[in-house]
Structure formats: C-alpha cells, structure tokens
Amino acid sequence: NNKILTKCQISANRNRGFLLTLVVAAILFFAGLGHFPLFEPDEGRNAEVAREIIELEDWITPHYNGLTYLDKPMLFFWMVATSFKALGTSAMAARLPSALMALATVILTWLWARRIKVGRVKAALILASTPFMIAFSRIVIFDMTLAFLVSLSLFGFWGFERSRFQKVRYSLLFFGSMGLATITKGPVGFLLPLLTIFTYLGFLGRWKDLRRLHWGPGLIVFIAMALPWFLAVS
C-alpha cells in the first residue's frame, strides 16, 4: 500500500509540475497576444504574405503586394494563413502560430528532461522565461517554428543514439524534422542540426557513428518533406 501511495504521489507531483509549466508558458506566450498592432517591417510583411494566400487562393507561390515573393519558404506562411482561415484576419491570429510553436518547444523540453531524468519543470520554465523565447513567441516571425523543428530533430538524434542506433523511427524523425525546418527558413533548417551532431560526435571522437544514421531512408524522408514545395513553386 505504501508503494502504491508513493507512486500515486509521484504521479500527482509530476502532473502538477506539468500543469504549472503549461500555465506559466501560456501566460508568457498568449496573454494579450493581439493587444498591439503588427510591428513593421517583419510582422506586417509576413502577415500580408499569409493574407494574400487566402485572397489569391494560391497556396503554392507566396505573394507580397501582388508580386511573387520568394524570400522565404512556405511552411510558416501556411500556418499563419490557416490561422486566418480559422479565426479571421487579426493580429492575434497572425501571432498564434508562433505562440503555439513556443508552447510545443517547452512541452518537448519537459518531455525530453523527463526522459533523461533531470529537473523537467526547471528545464521547461527556464526555457519559457528566456527573453528571446518570450519575444519570438509573440511576433509573426519564422524563428519559433524553426526552433521547435530543430529541437525535434535533435530529439530524434538523441532517441536514436540512446537506443544504441536500433530504433530507426528516431533517425527518421531526425531527418523529417530537418526537412520541415528547411521549408520553414531554408538551409539553416538542416545546417543547424547537422552542425550540432557533427560537433558533438567530433568532440567525443565518434565520427564512425555518423554511418549509423540510416542516411538512405533518412534522405528519402528529408526529400519527401522538403522537395515537393520547391518543385511545385519552381
């Protein structure tokens, strides 16, 4: 009975910690999200590109003031346009995808910290309370979506390494998340994760482990995520 009570207490504490993390992050990221008008130049431009997706009914080629706009890939614009479709055109709707991606990154951090048995609440709250995290979660900009996808990619590599390179699904998560990050903000979407693992394995003198990443299936998944839009817009 004491063991059962102890397990229940641990589970309750864990749930309270997760709920506390969600509440704090939600306040930091969502409170007053539409209170201020969009700031120029980035917010106004990015929101306008998303608005013209709906106006022109063109979900392939981004436009800005009616002209083709190929400065950035399409994923983030799709997210903002979807938010406009669901909630109407407003500053809050434009900023919502960034806030959701920030919350997703905090949740991923909490889950990751739980896996490696460190202070999950501390890790998540430290991340949520950093100035850049708060700032980028509340503006119409690509960086929070990129941050989540890069983090998810590195989580995939960590899971694959932890399984002693046996669980292929983690390797595919690594490559697939890089593909989505690439159609969010271009080459930085795959350069950041790759530079991170190259540095990590190089520092440990484990270059041979790079061969174990299932590059063949991984590149197929990466291409499946990233290439179709580039081909379509071309």
Side-chain angles (χ1 to χ4, degrees):
N1 289 337
N2 288 335
K3 289 183 178 180
I4 294 174
L5 288 173
T6 301
K7 288 182 178 179
C8 290
Q9 184 64 40
I10 292 172
S11 178
N13 290 338
R14 182 181 300 160
N15 291 336
R16 282 197 293 269
F18 184 64
L19 183 61
L20 172 66
T21 301
L22 288 181
V23 170
V24 172
I27 292 171
L28 291 173
F29 302 154
F30 293 91
L33 199 60
H35 186 68
F36 296 99
L38 300 180
F39 296 105
E40 297 294 349
D42 290 342
E43 281 202 297
R45 180 182 61 248
N46 295 334
E48 175 61 16
V49 172
R51 190 193 67 80
E52 291 187 30
I53 289 175
I54 299 171
E55 181 180 294
L56 301 175
E57 297 183 354
D58 186 349
W59 291 77
I60 300 298
T61 306
H63 292 82
Y64 180 53
N65 288 336
L67 301 175
T68 301
Y69 180 78
L70 299 177
D71 228 35
K72 292 288 189 295
M74 201 62 166
L75 182 60
F76 181 70
F77 296 134
W78 284 334
M79 294 167 64
V80 178
T82 301
S83 182
F84 283 161
K85 289 278 283 188
L87 303 173
T89 305
S90 66
M92 188 278 291
R95 291 171 178 148
L96 185 61
S98 292
L100 290 173
M101 288 296 99
L103 183 62
T105 307
V106 169
I107 292 172
L108 176 63
T109 301
W110 192 92
L111 295 172
W112 200 343
R114 177 183 172 185
R115 291 283 192 92
I116 60 178
K117 294 179 171 46
V118 298
R120 59 190 76 102
V121 175
K122 288 182 180 179
L125 290 180
I126 287 171
L127 176 65
S129 62
T130 56
F132 276 112
M133 189 78 175
I134 297 171
F136 287 170
S137 71
R138 303 178 65 84
I139 56 178
V140 190
I141 202 168
F142 306 84
D143 297 78
M144 277 321 312
T145 304
L146 177 69
F148 170 70
L149 292 170
V150 168
S151 300
L152 188 62
S153 179
L154 293 175
F155 174 76
F157 174 79
W158 170 84
F160 190 51
E161 181 192 36
R162 191 183 186 215
S163 71
R164 299 188 178 183
F165 303 97
Q166 297 300 314
K167 295 183 179 179
V168 181
R169 65 178 180 271
Y170 283 110
S171 179
L172 299 183
L173 178 63
F174 170 69
F175 284 99
S177 299
M178 281 198 296
L180 292 176
T182 301
I183 60 166
T184 299
K185 206 174 179 181
V188 69
F190 64 82
L191 289 175
L192 278 176
L194 289 178
L195 286 172
T196 301
I197 67 164
F198 288 170
T199 303
Y200 166 70
L201 294 177
F203 183 77
L204 296 177
R206 290 169 44 196
W207 289 107
K208 291 182 179 179
D209 285 344
L210 287 172
R211 304 176 190 170
R212 308 173 74 175
L213 274 173
H214 296 279
W215 289 92
L219 287 174
I220 291 173
V221 171
F222 174 85
I223 290 169
M225 296 292 104
L227 191 60
W229 175 75
F230 283 105
L231 292 177
V233 76
S234 295

